[in-house]
Amino acid sequence: MGFEELGLSNAALEGVLEMGYDTPTPIQEQAIPLVMSGRDVLACAQTGTGKTAAFVLPVLSKIAHKGRIGALIVTPTRELCVQIERVGRTVAHSTHHAVLAVYGGVGYTAQTKALHHGVDLLVATPGRFLDLQSRGDIDLEHVEILVLDEADRMLDMGFWPDVRRILRLLPKQRQNLLFSATLDDKVLRLIGDTLDNPARVDITPASTPVEAIEQLVYPVNAMQKTELLVALFRETADYRAIVFTRTKARADRVAAALNSSGVAAATIHSDLSQAKREETLDRFRSGKYHLLISTDVMARGIDVEGITHVVNFDVPDKPDDYVHRIGRTARAGETGIAITLVSHEEIPQLTEIERVTRQVLVTRDVEGFEYKERIVPREDRQTDTSSPRAMFRGGVMGRGRGPSGGRTQRRF
Ligand code: AMP
């Protein structure tokens, strides 16, 4: 199916050309006609599926361009705001809408001025939106469409009271679109009364990670993780990678260690100023750095094409975060590699990830790396068939890929 069959306005179709898209992604194919029909939509789709265009294109097909806010998109992070604004402005070259993003961490003056200049599509983080609204800078009378982007994340980040406050400020008569990477009971309960008989669209995340991303586990002693990372990237040519750490302090430490070993890396986290973060991202995009170290919250909004590797320096506590993190690679039809460094202490989290994503991850070693305190290979251990790790026998062995195949037995 082509974009022409989705019911978009002609101007928005020109916007599709500006974006350089040929074929709609599944979420676009399913969500756009529903949004165009005027229904409320509840869409389950993770970052990387093309969800931004799935709401920006129909919204800009529907609202007027009169300099009055016709649609509001609420999203959890500044980076997402900027990404949505970028897509919106590109499409608006053809549709002639004024698109503005407002978010915290920067001064008010420019945002207030732009608001008073006239805006058709406003993209906002909840806190800054409410600040500006309480200062009388935002006129909501003409809002016809509300988009809640990454609703699950807004919930996790504690933004839900703010979101409810925003809902109360909006005209009752409006179309609601809710996008979320997960739609568990927690999300559904909270939004149940917000949407009016919504059409539901599910783009199961499984198709992206499992098929397009090669997911590998590198067992390693916790003390040797940095060393292993350096070794990994020394033997990898031509990469653009994001490394996730659990904390900001760890991100800085890992970056420092990589840099002092001759592997150029930059960090991005919330302690950095907005300007500095954007500068770092631009450098990463332009290829000045090939390695970016990040924490989860920051990484949500990173929209950089051509990421070849995602490395989980620490195993994420929540399987959901694992799916989000690795979804940074293999976007828009490309393939990618996700590497998870796993210490003995992190096996329970890994097991949970494998349970939820219904797969057994392939285990590899870095050739020639001097593993200290090399952990006993699992088949030398006493076998406890009731242990969840017992499932690695057999399952893993058959799944090694590539000519070297790596070593597919798990060692701990
Ligand atoms: P998103 O899920 O909105 O973060 O989008 C993920 C990536 O896919 C972005 O880099 C988009 O520019 C790209 N993208 C979105 N829709 C399409 C499409 N129809 N064809 C090709 N790339 C797309």
Side-chain angles (χ1 to χ4, degrees):
M1 193 185 261
F3 274 103
E4 316 72 43
E5 293 155 75
L6 303 179
L8 291 168
S9 70
N10 288 336
L13 282 174
E14 279 174 43
V16 171
L17 291 180
E18 291 255 2
M19 292 299 300
Y21 303 157
D22 291 331
T23 324
T25 64
I27 182 78
Q28 292 160 2
E29 200 174 293
Q30 293 180 45
I32 291 174
L34 289 166
V35 180
M36 291 308 297
S37 78
R39 283 190 70 172
D40 279 8
V41 173
L42 180 57
C44 185
Q46 57 177 145
T47 304
T49 53
K51 70 181 171 70
T52 313
F55 54 77
V56 168
L57 289 168
V59 163
L60 291 183
S61 289
K62 295 189 81 181
I63 61 170
H65 47 93
K66 291 185 181 157
R68 300 188 306 203
I69 301 168
L72 169 66
I73 299 173
V74 183
T75 189
T77 67
R78 309 160 205 194
E79 281 71 19
L80 279 165
C81 263
V82 171
Q83 180 193 337
I84 298 167
E85 184 190 48
R86 195 166 48 213
V87 175
R89 289 200 165 156
T90 306
V91 177
H93 286 158
S94 325
T95 62
H96 307 298
H97 289 94
V99 179
L100 178 69
V102 294
Y103 42 83
V106 294
Y108 285 85
T109 321
Q111 294 180 358
T112 305
K113 208 166 135 197
L115 281 164
H116 288 279
H117 204 252
V119 172
D120 301 300
L121 171 62
L122 183 65
V123 188
T125 51
R128 178 56 62 104
F129 175 88
L130 287 169
D131 282 352
L132 288 163
Q133 196 276 334
S134 67
R135 292 157 57 124
D137 292 330
I138 299 180
D139 173 14
L140 296 172
E141 215 180 308
H142 303 279
V143 173
E144 293 166 23
I145 308 176
L146 168 72
V147 183
L148 296 177
D149 180 39
E150 308 229 343
D152 53 340
R153 203 60 174 190
M154 290 205 274
L155 207 64
D156 286 348
M157 289 168 79
F159 289 158
W160 210 251
D162 282 351
V163 171
R164 308 255 3 150
R165 230 166 280 146
I166 295 170
L167 291 174
R168 283 198 293 274
L169 294 168
L170 298 174
K172 296 264 170 307
Q173 265 304 333
R174 57 166 202 267
Q175 184 179 12
N176 300 293
L177 315 176
L178 185 138
F179 284 73
S180 189
T182 52
L183 283 180
D184 55 17
D185 288 348
K186 204 170 57 173
V187 181
L188 290 174
R189 222 175 310 126
L190 277 162
I191 47 114
D193 57 344
T194 306
L195 305 185
D196 175 21
N197 183 28
R200 186 160 163 172
V201 178
D202 271 292
I203 301 298
T204 44
S207 61
T208 326
V210 177
E211 283 158 24
I213 306 176
E214 186 174 10
Q215 300 175 63
L216 304 170
V217 163
Y218 282 76
V220 62
N221 175 334
M223 303 302 291
Q224 280 193 295
K225 281 194 171 183
T226 311
E227 217 182 307
L228 187 79
L229 192 65
V230 171
L232 257 171
F233 282 105
R234 280 232 181 95
E235 69 165 32
T236 309
D238 214 13
Y239 56 85
R240 177 179 285 187
I242 301 188
V243 177
F244 288 96
T245 59
R246 196 165 35 234
T247 63
K248 299 173 207 168
R250 274 170 87 76
D252 286 337
R253 258 202 320 273
V254 172
L258 285 166
N259 284 319
S260 67
S261 310
V263 178
T267 39
I268 180 163
H269 59 58
S270 55
D271 283 355
L272 303 173
S273 70
Q274 176 72 8
K276 180 77 195 155
R277 273 191 250 158
E278 271 161 24
E279 182 191 314
T280 306
L281 267 182
D282 279 344
R283 291 198 167 162
F284 184 53
R285 260 191 211 106
S286 68
K288 283 216 175 69
Y289 294 108
H290 295 273
L291 247 174
L292 190 68
I293 324 274
S294 175
T295 52
D296 279 307
V297 172
M298 266 306 105
R300 286 288 287 203
I302 300 175
D303 180 34
V304 179
E305 284 176 18
I307 304 243
T308 57
H309 294 69
V310 168
V311 179
N312 294 308
F313 190 80
D314 300 304
V315 180
D317 287 331
K318 290 191 276 175
D320 222 33
D321 285 336
Y322 176 83
V323 173
H324 276 302
R325 286 181 182 189
I326 71 170
R328 303 279 116 198
T329 184
R331 296 178 128 204
E334 292 167 14
T335 55
I337 298 176
I339 291 173
T340 304
L341 308 189
V342 184
S343 69
H344 190 255
E345 300 72 37
E346 292 171 309
I347 295 178
Q349 291 99 297
L350 179 67
T351 306
E352 182 59 11
I353 288 167
E354 291 179 319
R355 190 184 67 76
V356 170
T357 60
R358 295 188 200 175
Q359 59 184 327
V360 176
L361 298 172
V362 175
T363 303
R364 289 269 169 96
D365 289 340
V366 174
E367 291 291 323
F369 184 77
E370 273 190 49
Y371 287 93
K372 286 198 189 100
E373 283 180 37
R374 191 53 184 169
I375 317 129
V376 189
R378 71 164 321 288
E379 57 270 21
D380 296 350
R381 283 190 330 184
Q382 278 220 316
T383 315
D384 169 9
T385 43
S386 66
S387 131
R389 306 313 299 171
M391 70 184 184
F392 290 123
R393 246 171 311 115
V396 169
M397 298 300 285
R399 297 184 51 163
R401 279 203 237 169
S404 71
R407 270 187 253 160
T408 54
Q409 81 207 16
R410 194 173 299 242
R411 292 157 171 256
F412 286 109

